[in-house]
PDB file of all heavy atoms in Angstrom:
ATOM      1  N   GLY A   1      49.705-103.696 141.136  1.00 96.00           N
ATOM      2  CA  GLY A   1      49.680-103.862 142.584  1.00 96.00           C
ATOM      3  C   GLY A   1      48.315-103.683 143.216  1.00 96.00           C
ATOM      4  O   GLY A   1      48.172-103.864 144.423  1.00 96.00           O
ATOM      5  N   GLY A   2      47.322-103.316 142.406  1.00 96.00           N
ATOM      6  CA  GLY A   2      45.957-103.195 142.906  1.00 96.00           C
ATOM      7  C   GLY A   2      45.483-101.791 143.223  1.00 96.00           C
ATOM      8  O   GLY A   2      44.334-101.612 143.646  1.00 96.00           O
ATOM      9  N   SER A   3      46.310-100.789 143.014  1.00 98.00           N
ATOM     10  CA  SER A   3      45.868 -99.409 143.225  1.00 98.00           C
ATOM     11  C   SER A   3      44.896 -99.014 142.122  1.00 98.00           C
ATOM     12  O   SER A   3      45.069 -99.398 140.959  1.00 98.00           O
ATOM     13  CB  SER A   3      47.066 -98.469 143.215  1.00 98.00           C
ATOM     14  OG  SER A   3      47.962 -98.782 144.260  1.00 98.00           O
ATOM     15  N   THR A   4      43.897 -98.225 142.498  1.00 98.00           N
ATOM     16  CA  THR A   4      42.870 -97.834 141.540  1.00 98.00           C
ATOM     17  C   THR A   4      42.744 -96.324 141.440  1.00 98.00           C
ATOM     18  O   THR A   4      43.051 -95.591 142.389  1.00 98.00           O
ATOM     19  CB  THR A   4      41.500 -98.413 141.927  1.00 98.00           C
ATOM     20  OG1 THR A   4      41.131 -97.929 143.222  1.00 98.00           O
ATOM     21  CG2 THR A   4      41.528 -99.932 141.949  1.00 98.00           C
ATOM     22  N   ASN A   5      42.309 -95.858 140.279  1.00 98.00           N
ATOM     23  CA  ASN A   5      41.905 -94.471 140.142  1.00 98.00           C
ATOM     24  C   ASN A   5      40.784 -94.393 139.104  1.00 98.00           C
ATOM     25  O   ASN A   5      40.655 -95.269 138.247  1.00 98.00           O
ATOM     26  CB  ASN A   5      43.077 -93.551 139.790  1.00 98.00           C
ATOM     27  CG  ASN A   5      43.749 -93.885 138.482  1.00 98.00           C
ATOM     28  OD1 ASN A   5      44.527 -94.812 138.406  1.00 98.00           O
ATOM     29  ND2 ASN A   5      43.439 -93.118 137.449  1.00 98.00           N
ATOM     30  N   TYR A   6      39.988 -93.336 139.226  1.00 98.00           N
ATOM     31  CA  TYR A   6      38.756 -93.201 138.450  1.00 98.00           C
ATOM     32  C   TYR A   6      38.612 -91.796 137.880  1.00 98.00           C
ATOM     33  O   TYR A   6      39.075 -90.819 138.473  1.00 98.00           O
ATOM     34  CB  TYR A   6      37.540 -93.475 139.337  1.00 98.00           C
ATOM     35  CG  TYR A   6      37.485 -94.870 139.911  1.00 98.00           C
ATOM     36  CD1 TYR A   6      38.070 -95.162 141.135  1.00 98.00           C
ATOM     37  CD2 TYR A   6      36.849 -95.895 139.216  1.00 98.00           C
ATOM     38  CE1 TYR A   6      38.035 -96.442 141.658  1.00 98.00           C
ATOM     39  CE2 TYR A   6      36.795 -97.179 139.726  1.00 98.00           C
ATOM     40  CZ  TYR A   6      37.393 -97.441 140.953  1.00 98.00           C
ATOM     41  OH  TYR A   6      37.348 -98.717 141.464  1.00 98.00           O
ATOM     42  N   ALA A   7      37.924 -91.722 136.755  1.00 98.00           N
ATOM     43  CA  ALA A   7      37.504 -90.424 136.252  1.00 98.00           C
ATOM     44  C   ALA A   7      36.505 -89.827 137.237  1.00 98.00           C
ATOM     45  O   ALA A   7      35.713 -90.554 137.856  1.00 98.00           O
ATOM     46  CB  ALA A   7      36.867 -90.580 134.879  1.00 98.00           C
ATOM     47  N   ASP A   8      36.527 -88.506 137.376  1.00 98.00           N
ATOM     48  CA  ASP A   8      35.613 -87.849 138.310  1.00 98.00           C
ATOM     49  C   ASP A   8      34.156 -88.184 138.001  1.00 98.00           C
ATOM     50  O   ASP A   8      33.329 -88.302 138.906  1.00 98.00           O
ATOM     51  CB  ASP A   8      35.817 -86.338 138.267  1.00 98.00           C
ATOM     52  CG  ASP A   8      37.112 -85.900 138.929  1.00 98.00           C
ATOM     53  OD1 ASP A   8      37.700 -86.703 139.691  1.00 98.00           O
ATOM     54  OD2 ASP A   8      37.536 -84.762 138.682  1.00 98.00           O
ATOM     55  N   SER A   9      33.848 -88.346 136.720  1.00 97.00           N
ATOM     56  CA  SER A   9      32.464 -88.563 136.300  1.00 97.00           C
ATOM     57  C   SER A   9      31.895 -89.911 136.748  1.00 97.00           C
ATOM     58  O   SER A   9      30.675 -90.100 136.719  1.00 97.00           O
ATOM     59  CB  SER A   9      32.351 -88.440 134.781  1.00 97.00           C
ATOM     60  OG  SER A   9      33.189 -89.389 134.139  1.00 97.00           O
ATOM     61  N   VAL A  10      32.758 -90.841 137.140  1.00 98.00           N
ATOM     62  CA  VAL A  10      32.269 -92.176 137.512  1.00 98.00           C
ATOM     63  C   VAL A  10      32.580 -92.532 138.967  1.00 98.00           C
ATOM     64  O   VAL A  10      32.170 -93.591 139.440  1.00 98.00           O
ATOM     65  CB  VAL A  10      32.832 -93.268 136.584  1.00 98.00           C
ATOM     66  CG1 VAL A  10      32.567 -92.925 135.126  1.00 98.00           C
ATOM     67  CG2 VAL A  10      34.314 -93.512 136.823  1.00 98.00           C
ATOM     68  N   LYS A  11      33.281 -91.671 139.681  1.00 98.00           N
ATOM     69  CA  LYS A  11      33.625 -91.957 141.077  1.00 98.00           C
ATOM     70  C   LYS A  11      32.363 -92.190 141.900  1.00 98.00           C
ATOM     71  O   LYS A  11      31.396 -91.441 141.798  1.00 98.00           O
ATOM     72  CB  LYS A  11      34.426 -90.805 141.673  1.00 98.00           C
ATOM     73  CG  LYS A  11      35.888 -90.791 141.276  1.00 98.00           C
ATOM     74  CD  LYS A  11      36.628 -89.629 141.928  1.00 98.00           C
ATOM     75  CE  LYS A  11      38.077 -89.596 141.498  1.00 98.00           C
ATOM     76  NZ  LYS A  11      38.787 -88.414 142.047  1.00 98.00           N
ATOM     77  N   GLY A  12      32.408 -93.243 142.696  1.00 98.00           N
ATOM     78  CA  GLY A  12      31.261 -93.572 143.538  1.00 98.00           C
ATOM     79  C   GLY A  12      30.212 -94.418 142.836  1.00 98.00           C
ATOM     80  O   GLY A  12      29.300 -94.932 143.491  1.00 98.00           O
ATOM     81  N   ARG A  13      30.322 -94.577 141.528  1.00 98.00           N
ATOM     82  CA  ARG A  13      29.350 -95.377 140.768  1.00 98.00           C
ATOM     83  C   ARG A  13      29.992 -96.610 140.132  1.00 98.00           C
ATOM     84  O   ARG A  13      29.350 -97.652 140.025  1.00 98.00           O
ATOM     85  CB  ARG A  13      28.707 -94.537 139.668  1.00 98.00           C
ATOM     86  CG  ARG A  13      27.956 -93.321 140.171  1.00 98.00           C
ATOM     87  CD  ARG A  13      27.165 -92.646 139.059  1.00 98.00           C
ATOM     88  NE  ARG A  13      28.038 -92.152 137.990  1.00 98.00           N
ATOM     89  CZ  ARG A  13      27.915 -92.513 136.711  1.00 98.00           C
ATOM     90  NH1 ARG A  13      26.992 -93.387 136.336  1.00 98.00           N
ATOM     91  NH2 ARG A  13      28.733 -92.005 135.793  1.00 98.00           N
ATOM     92  N   PHE A  14      31.238 -96.487 139.697  1.00 98.00           N
ATOM     93  CA  PHE A  14      31.937 -97.583 139.019  1.00 98.00           C
ATOM     94  C   PHE A  14      33.029 -98.136 139.929  1.00 98.00           C
ATOM     95  O   PHE A  14      33.655 -97.398 140.690  1.00 98.00           O
ATOM     96  CB  PHE A  14      32.592 -97.100 137.729  1.00 98.00           C
ATOM     97  CG  PHE A  14      31.643 -96.727 136.620  1.00 98.00           C
ATOM     98  CD1 PHE A  14      30.275 -96.622 136.820  1.00 98.00           C
ATOM     99  CD2 PHE A  14      32.140 -96.479 135.342  1.00 98.00           C
ATOM    100  CE1 PHE A  14      29.415 -96.269 135.790  1.00 98.00           C
ATOM    101  CE2 PHE A  14      31.306 -96.135 134.293  1.00 98.00           C
ATOM    102  CZ  PHE A  14      29.942 -96.031 134.525  1.00 98.00           C
ATOM    103  N   THR A  15      33.274 -99.429 139.800  1.00 98.00           N
ATOM    104  CA  THR A  15      34.341-100.082 140.546  1.00 98.00           C
ATOM    105  C   THR A  15      35.122-100.999 139.618  1.00 98.00           C
ATOM    106  O   THR A  15      34.528-101.857 138.949  1.00 98.00           O
ATOM    107  CB  THR A  15      33.779-100.911 141.717  1.00 98.00           C
ATOM    108  OG1 THR A  15      33.011-100.064 142.578  1.00 98.00           O
ATOM    109  CG2 THR A  15      34.914-101.544 142.514  1.00 98.00           C
ATOM    110  N   ILE A  16      36.425-100.804 139.584  1.00 98.00           N
ATOM    111  CA  ILE A  16      37.295-101.675 138.800  1.00 98.00           C
ATOM    112  C   ILE A  16      37.952-102.690 139.732  1.00 98.00           C
ATOM    113  O   ILE A  16      38.312-102.364 140.874  1.00 98.00           O
ATOM    114  CB  ILE A  16      38.358-100.859 138.028  1.00 98.00           C
ATOM    115  CG1 ILE A  16      39.109-101.746 137.037  1.00 98.00           C
ATOM    116  CG2 ILE A  16      39.308-100.126 138.966  1.00 98.00           C
ATOM    117  CD1 ILE A  16      40.016-100.968 136.078  1.00 98.00           C
ATOM    118  N   SER A  17      38.084-103.917 139.252  1.00 98.00           N
ATOM    119  CA  SER A  17      38.738-104.956 140.043  1.00 98.00           C
ATOM    120  C   SER A  17      39.408-105.943 139.083  1.00 98.00           C
ATOM    121  O   SER A  17      39.142-105.928 137.875  1.00 98.00           O
ATOM    122  CB  SER A  17      37.720-105.678 140.936  1.00 98.00           C
ATOM    123  OG  SER A  17      36.723-106.315 140.160  1.00 98.00           O
ATOM    124  N   ARG A  18      40.258-106.768 139.646  1.00 98.00           N
ATOM    125  CA  ARG A  18      40.945-107.756 138.811  1.00 98.00           C
ATOM    126  C   ARG A  18      41.093-109.066 139.551  1.00 98.00           C
ATOM    127  O   ARG A  18      41.185-109.083 140.789  1.00 98.00           O
ATOM    128  CB  ARG A  18      42.327-107.244 138.389  1.00 98.00           C
ATOM    129  CG  ARG A  18      43.301-107.009 139.517  1.00 98.00           C
ATOM    130  CD  ARG A  18      44.547-106.258 139.038  1.00 98.00           C
ATOM    131  NE  ARG A  18      45.332-107.022 138.076  1.00 98.00           N
ATOM    132  CZ  ARG A  18      46.209-106.474 137.230  1.00 98.00           C
ATOM    133  NH1 ARG A  18      46.404-105.164 137.247  1.00 98.00           N
ATOM    134  NH2 ARG A  18      46.891-107.246 136.399  1.00 98.00           N
ATOM    135  N   THR A  19      41.118-110.156 138.780  1.00 98.00           N
ATOM    136  CA  THR A  19      41.393-111.479 139.315  1.00 98.00           C
ATOM    137  C   THR A  19      42.546-112.056 138.510  1.00 98.00           C
ATOM    138  O   THR A  19      42.361-112.520 137.374  1.00 98.00           O
ATOM    139  CB  THR A  19      40.154-112.388 139.204  1.00 98.00           C
ATOM    140  OG1 THR A  19      39.063-111.802 139.914  1.00 98.00           O
ATOM    141  CG2 THR A  19      40.448-113.757 139.793  1.00 98.00           C
ATOM    142  N   ASN A  20      43.727-112.000 139.075  1.00 97.00           N
ATOM    143  CA  ASN A  20      44.911-112.435 138.329  1.00 97.00           C
ATOM    144  C   ASN A  20      44.851-113.915 137.977  1.00 97.00           C
ATOM    145  O   ASN A  20      45.335-114.331 136.920  1.00 97.00           O
ATOM    146  CB  ASN A  20      46.173-112.128 139.114  1.00 97.00           C
ATOM    147  CG  ASN A  20      46.502-110.640 139.149  1.00 97.00           C
ATOM    148  OD1 ASN A  20      45.943-109.852 138.368  1.00 97.00           O
ATOM    149  ND2 ASN A  20      47.362-110.252 140.072  1.00 97.00           N
ATOM    150  N   ALA A  21      44.243-114.705 138.822  1.00 97.00           N
ATOM    151  CA  ALA A  21      44.152-116.147 138.555  1.00 97.00           C
ATOM    152  C   ALA A  21      43.329-116.442 137.304  1.00 97.00           C
ATOM    153  O   ALA A  21      43.489-117.498 136.687  1.00 97.00           O
ATOM    154  CB  ALA A  21      43.567-116.861 139.755  1.00 97.00           C
ATOM    155  N   LYS A  22      42.458-115.496 136.943  1.00 97.00           N
ATOM    156  CA  LYS A  22      41.622-115.679 135.754  1.00 97.00           C
ATOM    157  C   LYS A  22      42.033-114.766 134.611  1.00 97.00           C
ATOM    158  O   LYS A  22      41.349-114.704 133.582  1.00 97.00           O
ATOM    159  CB  LYS A  22      40.149-115.433 136.102  1.00 97.00           C
ATOM    160  CG  LYS A  22      39.580-116.440 137.077  1.00 97.00           C
ATOM    161  CD  LYS A  22      38.090-116.203 137.292  1.00 97.00           C
ATOM    162  CE  LYS A  22      37.498-117.260 138.219  1.00 97.00           C
ATOM    163  NZ  LYS A  22      36.042-117.057 138.431  1.00 97.00           N
ATOM    164  N   ASN A  23      43.120-114.013 134.801  1.00 98.00           N
ATOM    165  CA  ASN A  23      43.572-113.066 133.773  1.00 98.00           C
ATOM    166  C   ASN A  23      42.438-112.143 133.330  1.00 98.00           C
ATOM    167  O   ASN A  23      42.287-111.855 132.130  1.00 98.00           O
ATOM    168  CB  ASN A  23      44.134-113.812 132.553  1.00 98.00           C
ATOM    169  CG  ASN A  23      45.507-114.387 132.788  1.00 98.00           C
ATOM    170  OD1 ASN A  23      45.990-114.427 133.917  1.00 98.00           O
ATOM    171  ND2 ASN A  23      46.149-114.856 131.733  1.00 98.00           N
ATOM    172  N   THR A  24      41.683-111.662 134.285  1.00 98.00           N
ATOM    173  CA  THR A  24      40.478-110.903 133.971  1.00 98.00           C
ATOM    174  C   THR A  24      40.391-109.646 134.824  1.00 98.00           C
ATOM    175  O   THR A  24      40.718-109.665 136.011  1.00 98.00           O
ATOM    176  CB  THR A  24      39.226-111.771 134.183  1.00 98.00           C
ATOM    177  OG1 THR A  24      39.303-112.927 133.341  1.00 98.00           O
ATOM    178  CG2 THR A  24      37.961-111.000 133.834  1.00 98.00           C
ATOM    179  N   VAL A  25      39.938-108.581 134.200  1.00 98.00           N
ATOM    180  CA  VAL A  25      39.631-107.336 134.900  1.00 98.00           C
ATOM    181  C   VAL A  25      38.152-107.031 134.678  1.00 98.00           C
ATOM    182  O   VAL A  25      37.590-107.348 133.622  1.00 98.00           O
ATOM    183  CB  VAL A  25      40.534-106.180 134.417  1.00 98.00           C
ATOM    184  CG1 VAL A  25      40.317-105.876 132.950  1.00 98.00           C
ATOM    185  CG2 VAL A  25      40.332-104.931 135.251  1.00 98.00           C
ATOM    186  N   TYR A  26      37.535-106.436 135.686  1.00 98.00           N
ATOM    187  CA  TYR A  26      36.105-106.168 135.662  1.00 98.00           C
ATOM    188  C   TYR A  26      35.836-104.678 135.850  1.00 98.00           C
ATOM    189  O   TYR A  26      36.642-103.956 136.437  1.00 98.00           O
ATOM    190  CB  TYR A  26      35.403-106.935 136.780  1.00 98.00           C
ATOM    191  CG  TYR A  26      35.665-108.417 136.779  1.00 98.00           C
ATOM    192  CD1 TYR A  26      36.673-108.960 137.579  1.00 98.00           C
ATOM    193  CD2 TYR A  26      34.922-109.270 135.978  1.00 98.00           C
ATOM    194  CE1 TYR A  26      36.927-110.316 137.579  1.00 98.00           C
ATOM    195  CE2 TYR A  26      35.170-110.636 135.968  1.00 98.00           C
ATOM    196  CZ  TYR A  26      36.173-111.153 136.769  1.00 98.00           C
ATOM    197  OH  TYR A  26      36.433-112.499 136.771  1.00 98.00           O
TER     198      TYR A  26
END
């Protein structure tokens, strides 16, 4: 559904995203 969560060590530096039309996560 698009909800995200991060390890404390990467919060504010890393961003996860997805494009369902391309079957890809970044």
Side-chain angles (χ1 to χ4, degrees):
S3 298
T4 60
N5 61 282
Y6 298 90
D8 287 343
S9 59
V10 307
K11 281 181 182 176
R13 300 189 298 123
F14 291 10
T15 302
I16 189 171
S17 61
R18 63 191 296 159
T19 301
N20 288 345
K22 295 185 177 181
N23 285 11
T24 301
V25 63
Y26 305 95

